[in-house]
Amino acid sequence: MIISVQEAISLLKEGKLVAIPTETVYGLAADAFNFKTIERIFFAKGRPADNPLIVHISSLEQLNLLTDSITDAHLALAKHFWPGPLTMLFKKKASVLDKITAGLDTVAIRMPNHPIALEIIKETGPLVAPSANKSGKPSTTRVEHVLADYSGLIPVVDGGKCEIGIESTVLDCTSEPFQILRPGAIGVIELKTVVPNSVFQTDSYNSQQTEKPKSPGMKYTHYSPNAKVRWMNPDELEGEYDESVRYLHLHGEYNSLEHKGFHTNLTLLSKDLYDQFRYADELGVQEIAIEPFSIDTDTLSIALFNRIQKAIGVKAD
Ligand code: TXA
Ligand code: MG
């Protein structure tokens, strides 16, 4: 069911779940200070209890409700990148529910850059919001995805197609050097423009999973469509397209509606990736073949590589 912003605010205040748009992906939102609703989020998503949630805020004042440990570097990052696709980990206040943080002493916080999300959170106060997909499915970047995953049972505010299309960067700011736990649209290059003297250490995003991951969500293989995902060099394609494969090309004519071909650049690929995954499943194709791209210092290339490797089934970071 699609609802208005005002209806969303009322439902959230009553302790209900509502899916809301953000600039990254849709989030399944609930009051961060209501234990019962937080439980419902895990249940509705089918999410393991050891995977903590991000708390979303609309102002720096709301940050003080969640943490007492804000340094100058944190503040500089928040002021520069918020609202935006950067989630920062802080030492949590005792009042932050353990259910949110899965028992960790840190809380993940971000201010989403979407007018609807900000308008809602301004009225409701901090909201937890994991990506609004069922656990195991690709994240939701259009309202139709949310309606499909929950058979229309979760009310959703329509904010159009998400601008970025992949989830926020998760940055651990509780230890030196700060560390990127999940790559996103903001990377080392951008972070260093604000805090050049702090060393940001990126993980190897395709390494084998360590035993105790710092970001619990990263150990789960998700973002996966039903179709098998693989990399495919263009020279593997000898003229004929195979009907059972959906090709995501990075070169050639733009042709997104054409079953057999798709052209994009990395920004468009990011915006379209999960939509394409879901579309491929609707078409019932066996495989999604993605043209490789170079992973260099380009922030989006690193984030996209991470998500695609996950979909392929390689345990990334
Ligand atoms: O772009 C996004 O971040 C979206 C939108 C809705 O804001 N949200 C999102 O939430 O992707 P979710 O729950 O799908 O992913 C949150 C990630 C998980 O990998 C989780 O393990 C990690 O953040 N995380 C949350 N709290 C953490 C904490 N205290 N320590 C380490 N990792 C944490
Ligand atoms: Mg998620």
Side-chain angles (χ1 to χ4, degrees):
M1 188 205 340
I2 294 179
I3 59 168
S4 68
V5 166
Q6 280 316 315
E7 286 169 320
I9 292 167
S10 305
L11 288 171
L12 286 161
K13 284 183 175 170
E14 285 167 24
K16 301 273 171 39
L17 308 185
V18 175
I20 60 169
T22 81
E23 81 282 31
T24 56
V25 299
Y26 276 76
L28 184 57
D31 179 355
F33 293 103
N34 182 329
F35 184 80
K36 277 264 167 280
T37 17
I38 310 285
E39 276 196 321
R40 274 185 216 125
I41 289 244
F42 283 90
F43 182 74
K45 267 186 72 90
R47 184 179 179 106
D50 66 353
N51 194 1
L53 307 174
I54 297 172
V55 183
H56 294 65
I57 57 174
S58 64
S59 67
L60 286 179
E61 288 72 56
Q62 290 181 350
L63 190 57
N64 299 313
L65 299 170
L66 306 161
T67 180
D68 286 325
S69 317
I70 307 166
T71 65
D72 289 347
H74 296 154
L75 210 54
L77 287 172
K79 283 189 172 157
H80 193 270
F81 292 108
W82 285 354
L86 177 68
T87 295
M88 294 200 272
L89 299 194
F90 295 88
K91 285 266 172 258
K92 82 174 191 76
K93 265 191 172 179
S95 52
V96 175
L97 294 166
D98 287 334
K99 187 94 194 145
I100 293 178
T101 64
L104 298 171
D105 61 358
T106 54
V107 57
I109 305 174
R110 92 172 185 102
M111 193 189 292
N113 188 16
H114 195 292
I116 292 178
L118 291 171
E119 189 182 344
I120 292 172
I121 301 165
K122 190 167 168 251
E123 294 300 320
T124 58
L127 297 175
V128 290
S131 51
N133 53 293
K134 280 264 192 190
S135 254
K137 288 260 208 170
S139 291
T140 44
T141 54
R142 288 198 291 118
V143 82
E144 291 82 359
H145 301 161
V146 183
L147 294 172
D149 271 17
Y150 298 95
S151 313
L153 294 175
I154 297 277
V156 50
V157 183
D158 190 355
K161 188 163 173 167
C162 298
E163 203 48 49
I164 295 177
I166 58 170
E167 308 81 357
S168 62
T169 305
V170 177
L171 182 71
D172 184 357
C173 313
T174 61
S175 58
E176 285 284 337
F178 293 175
Q179 194 180 355
I180 294 179
L181 303 182
R182 178 175 73 180
I186 293 170
V188 177
I189 306 166
E190 293 80 10
L191 294 167
K192 280 201 164 182
T193 62
V194 179
V195 269
N197 297 328
S198 299
V199 186
F200 291 91
Q201 179 189 298
T202 48
D203 267 333
S204 159
Y205 296 122
N206 191 25
S207 62
Q208 283 302 307
Q209 185 60 64
T210 52
E211 261 176 34
K212 197 167 186 303
K214 273 189 142 185
S215 190
M218 302 310 277
K219 76 179 177 217
Y220 298 106
T221 337
H222 45 285
Y223 317 119
S224 309
N226 299 326
K228 190 172 171 289
V229 182
R230 68 180 179 99
W231 297 108
M232 190 211 66
N233 282 309
D235 56 10
E236 267 185 61
L237 183 69
E238 286 165 0
E240 283 297 297
Y241 283 102
D242 180 342
E243 289 282 336
S244 67
V245 182
R246 176 129 183 104
Y247 298 92
L248 304 193
H249 293 298
L250 291 165
H251 300 97
E253 294 296 307
Y254 184 80
N255 200 5
S256 70
L257 295 176
E258 168 68 46
H259 175 102
K260 298 172 189 168
F262 179 71
H263 152 81
T264 187
N265 58 43
L266 289 192
T267 307
L268 281 173
L269 181 60
S270 164
K271 189 168 175 174
D272 263 353
L273 186 71
Y274 296 139
D275 204 15
Q276 286 292 326
F277 282 179
R278 286 171 174 267
Y279 183 50
D281 283 347
E282 270 174 42
L283 292 171
V285 298
Q286 307 283 304
E287 271 190 0
I288 300 166
I290 307 178
E291 185 183 333
F293 47 83
S294 66
I295 311 142
D296 39 33
T297 46
D298 182 278
T299 298
L300 212 45
S301 69
I302 295 169
L304 271 169
F305 180 76
N306 167 272
R307 302 308 193 277
I308 293 167
Q309 287 291 89
K310 280 200 150 219
I312 289 172
V314 180
K315 290 236 163 110
D317 42 72

